[in-house]
Amino acid sequence: MIAGSFFSRYIVSTDHKTVGKQYLWAGLVFLALGGFLAMLLRWQLAFPGARVPLVGGLLFPESGGALSPDVYAKVFTTHGLVMIFFAITPVLIGAFGNFVVPLQIGARDMAFPRLNAASFWILVASQLLALASFLAPLGTASAGWTSYPPLSTNVGTPGWGQSVMVLALLVNGFSTVLGGVNLITTVIRLRAPGMGWLRLPATTWGMFLTSILNVTFVPVLGSAALLLLLDRHLGTQFFIAGASARAGGGDPIAYQHLFWIFGHPEVYILILPAWGVVTDIVSFFSRKPAFAYPLTVGAMIAVTALSGLVYGHHMFVAGLGPMLGQAFMALTLVISIPSAVIALNWLQTIWRGSVRLDSPMLYALGVIIVFGMGGLTGVLLGDLSLDVYLHDTMFVVGHFHLIMASATFLASFAAIHFWFPKLFARRLDENLARAHFSSSLVLLILVFGGQMLAGYSGQPRRLFDPYQYEFLKPLLPLNRWTSYAAFALATAQLLFVWNVVRAFWRGARETDPNPWRVGTLEWTCAPTPVPVENFAEVPQVQRGPHAFDAALQASLGRDFLGQAELVSEAKPQSVGVK
């Protein structure tokens, strides 16, 4: 029993597990908001100018319940920002970085618990600012998720909505950097005795590397946001040029450089934790050691190092010199090599494994499928000549949604289903989880595959009504069916919601400390529910995280060893094995 009031236990607690749960709920709420905005976009592309069912009259009374061009721009802008900064990042990095990493390295808490709690509440402040931007007199931000000037200056988007959203990003970045410094310090300084670098679980490696990227590149975005705010409100001209400039003005292209110096590493900021989770889960549920684990870790480090050198492929159409464009093209193709190594190692781990298709493994397999599709289409966009044709089309939207939406979405659900027994001492229903996974995977591919087909057929992105153009009218049926798949995808999420509600309402308590039969410290050394300070004694780590061997079955009645388990003391009934 944890002593204390509800306020001290769940609101102002500095315990890393509570902070992780706070990130999870905050991120899921904004995931629902971002998903709702996506449905508005798909409605407009399927039925341009038609009244939005159910909520149209309430949200858009001035336009008869339909989206107007101005509102459409605000919706696609805030959908991107909400999903990336206020939903996926808190769920995948904030929740599981906080909850899992200290447990996996044998620490009693994060290195700076109060700073950790402060990071979360700063995130909440940024989320409230993002919501407040919707209440501004001229509405929220509408300059796209990239906020390129001059569109994002007072000339392109007057009013406070754009400024408040940019301020929300600035505050969000402050929270992210504080969290990143805390996690890096925790992994470096608080690893249990014997927890060498190659004994770290891949999930911890993913969180550690993504924190390094956050601390390195988020301040660059913060600098761009701050300069943009100065341009909007204090009369500076860092990004203002042409007729709006005085005394020479600045350069809007400089903003693009700053944005993408952060923006492309952001892809890896989101995907590295997913890679870590998938590497661990594929090994656990294939009952085999992760194939070439040091090589996988090395590939993740290589991607981290290269991620800041490829940003220029987002600016092939911005007027880069030909030689600079070719250099960025070559670097972009080079970074695909370690990415491919990681994916091939997953397949080799699964090959001839004793695969168990529990829900976490299904979601992990889904990540491999959509990451493969997104990665291969990314190689096309890395080519300079192809990118010039596809750059401003829906093909790009479909591609990055397969990586930044589908892969991270499925990885988040893999993590939620895998650690749910440790998070809440309850277990989700497997049948509901399988139904949610299978419907989500198929519909994600249909939605984003449909977008790529539309883009390959020439449909530009961000158009309010593409069918105003004669050559795009034949794409209406494709867009309509893509929207039907999107609506079905949104409906399928109710399976997950019901599964969670059912687990808390009618689900039995999980008393087995190690229901998945794996060897990492959070499952073998910490009871369920996990108490404050996690462990009765700090574990002495003996081996890596994926110690599976079928030969153990005859002597121990199980096929794995715990990371802190002494072989001479190993017994069939130990570490929660029944």
Side-chain angles (χ1 to χ4, degrees):
M1 177 72 73
I2 301 173
S5 65
F6 177 88
F7 187 76
S8 62
R9 288 164 58 189
Y10 298 113
I11 305 301
V12 296
S13 172
T14 59
D15 184 277
H16 72 95
K17 300 179 289 296
T18 301
V19 175
K21 294 174 188 175
Q22 290 172 329
Y23 271 106
L24 179 62
W25 295 124
L28 289 176
V29 168
F30 272 73
L31 187 64
L33 172 62
F36 171 71
L37 295 171
M39 293 306 102
L40 294 178
L41 296 175
R42 289 311 317 178
W43 176 262
Q44 170 61 25
L45 290 174
F47 305 99
R51 178 187 177 91
V52 179
L54 303 177
V55 298
L58 177 66
L59 296 179
F60 318 114
E62 67 284 352
S63 55
L67 273 73
S68 63
D70 177 55
V71 169
Y72 183 77
K74 295 181 190 306
V75 171
F76 72 64
T77 296
T78 50
H79 162 70
L81 293 171
V82 164
M83 281 298 200
I84 292 172
F85 295 101
F86 305 111
I88 297 173
T89 300
V91 169
L92 196 53
I93 303 171
F96 293 101
N98 270 286
F99 186 86
V100 174
V101 169
L103 286 167
Q104 285 197 330
I105 67 172
R108 296 196 180 280
D109 207 320
M110 299 292 280
F112 310 111
R114 293 183 180 178
L115 185 66
N116 197 32
S119 300
F120 169 73
W121 287 108
I122 294 172
L123 166 77
V124 172
S126 73
Q127 290 177 321
L128 293 175
L129 281 170
L131 292 178
S133 72
F134 287 87
L135 305 177
L138 296 179
T140 184
S142 58
W145 81 280
T146 53
S147 299
Y148 278 174
L151 188 56
S152 60
T153 64
N154 285 327
V155 176
T157 50
W160 279 92
Q162 183 75 39
S163 296
V164 174
M165 184 60 84
V166 173
L167 180 62
L169 294 181
L170 194 60
V171 175
N172 181 281
F174 187 52
S175 165
T176 301
V177 171
L178 291 181
V181 169
N182 206 349
L183 194 140
I184 292 169
T185 309
T186 301
V187 174
I188 292 175
R189 299 291 300 168
L190 299 186
R191 301 194 312 279
M195 182 62 86
W197 287 100
L198 285 179
R199 289 180 173 177
L200 287 175
T203 301
T204 294
W205 264 112
M207 298 294 179
F208 178 68
L209 294 171
T210 212
S211 297
I212 291 174
L213 290 178
N214 268 331
V215 171
T216 305
F217 293 109
V218 169
V220 180
L221 177 66
S223 302
L226 181 60
L227 295 178
L228 184 59
L229 284 175
L230 293 176
D231 276 3
R232 288 181 62 88
H233 295 288
L234 294 184
T236 59
Q237 300 201 339
F238 293 105
F239 305 129
I240 295 175
S244 303
R246 303 184 306 273
D251 185 358
I253 299 297
Y255 176 90
Q256 292 193 30
H257 282 282
L258 291 174
F259 182 86
W260 287 113
I261 287 174
F262 154 80
H264 195 76
E266 173 68 6
V267 175
Y268 300 103
I269 285 170
L270 296 178
I271 204 65
L272 279 165
W275 287 352
V277 169
V278 171
T279 300
D280 279 338
I281 287 179
V282 162
S283 170
F284 294 157
F285 289 88
S286 298
R287 315 308 292 176
K288 283 176 61 182
F291 180 80
Y293 186 54
L295 184 61
T296 297
V297 172
M300 292 169 70
I301 294 172
V303 167
T304 303
L306 289 168
S307 65
L309 304 177
V310 301
Y311 80 92
H313 70 239
H314 294 277
M315 299 175 61
F316 283 153
V317 296
L320 292 180
M323 289 190 65
L324 193 57
Q326 289 181 357
F328 277 121
M329 180 178 72
L331 287 166
T332 300
L333 298 179
V334 166
I335 203 171
S336 65
I337 296 173
S339 304
V341 167
I342 293 169
L344 292 173
N345 283 354
W346 292 335
L347 298 180
Q348 192 65 28
T349 302
I350 296 169
W351 178 249
R352 294 184 175 177
S354 182
V355 177
R356 298 178 181 179
L357 294 177
D358 293 301
S359 54
M361 182 63 166
L362 290 175
Y363 286 105
L365 293 174
V367 174
I368 296 173
I369 292 170
V370 296
F371 175 71
M373 296 176 64
L376 290 174
T377 52
V379 173
L380 298 178
L381 293 169
D383 182 88
L384 200 158
S385 55
L386 274 175
D387 183 83
V388 170
Y389 171 72
L390 295 170
H391 183 86
D392 204 30
T393 69
M394 292 294 288
F395 186 90
V396 176
V397 178
H399 154 70
F400 77 70
H401 273 85
L402 282 172
I403 297 290
M404 293 185 69
S406 304
T408 56
F409 177 86
L410 293 172
S412 297
F413 281 102
I416 289 172
H417 285 75
F418 182 66
W419 280 291
F420 200 86
K422 197 60 77 173
L423 274 161
F424 301 109
R426 295 178 185 273
R427 197 162 175 175
L428 296 170
D429 181 79
E430 279 292 296
N431 290 328
L432 283 171
R434 290 191 180 99
H436 175 253
F437 158 76
S438 54
S439 56
S440 294
L441 177 64
V442 171
L443 293 167
L444 283 167
I445 292 173
L446 289 177
V447 172
F448 302 125
Q451 290 183 338
M452 284 197 293
L453 280 174
Y456 193 75
S457 302
Q459 180 180 332
R461 52 181 167 169
R462 297 170 178 159
L463 282 186
F464 168 71
D465 184 359
Y467 320 110
Q468 295 290 320
Y469 298 90
E470 194 65 33
F471 78 102
L472 293 177
K473 284 184 178 177
L475 295 181
L476 177 59
L478 173 62
N479 278 313
R480 195 161 281 178
W481 281 105
T482 302
S483 293
Y484 290 148
F487 301 149
L489 176 62
T491 305
Q493 303 320 301
L494 296 177
L495 292 168
F496 171 73
V497 174
W498 170 242
N499 205 356
V500 173
V501 171
R502 182 184 176 281
F504 285 108
W505 181 28
R506 294 169 51 185
R509 287 197 169 273
E510 178 64 76
T511 56
D512 187 344
N514 191 6
W516 304 118
R517 308 294 185 258
V518 298
T520 46
L521 297 182
E522 79 272 28
W523 298 107
T524 53
C525 295
T528 299
V530 185
V532 175
E533 296 194 343
N534 302 338
F535 309 100
E537 295 181 2
V538 173
Q540 298 277 331
V541 178
Q542 306 296 321
R543 60 187 60 80
H546 312 122
F548 291 98
D549 189 342
L552 293 169
Q553 192 72 38
S555 57
L556 298 180
R558 52 188 164 94
D559 61 354
F560 72 95
L561 286 172
Q563 276 195 274
E565 189 178 7
L566 295 173
V567 175
S568 60
E569 298 175 353
K571 299 177 181 176
Q573 69 274 20
S574 65
V575 292
V577 176
K578 295 180 178 178

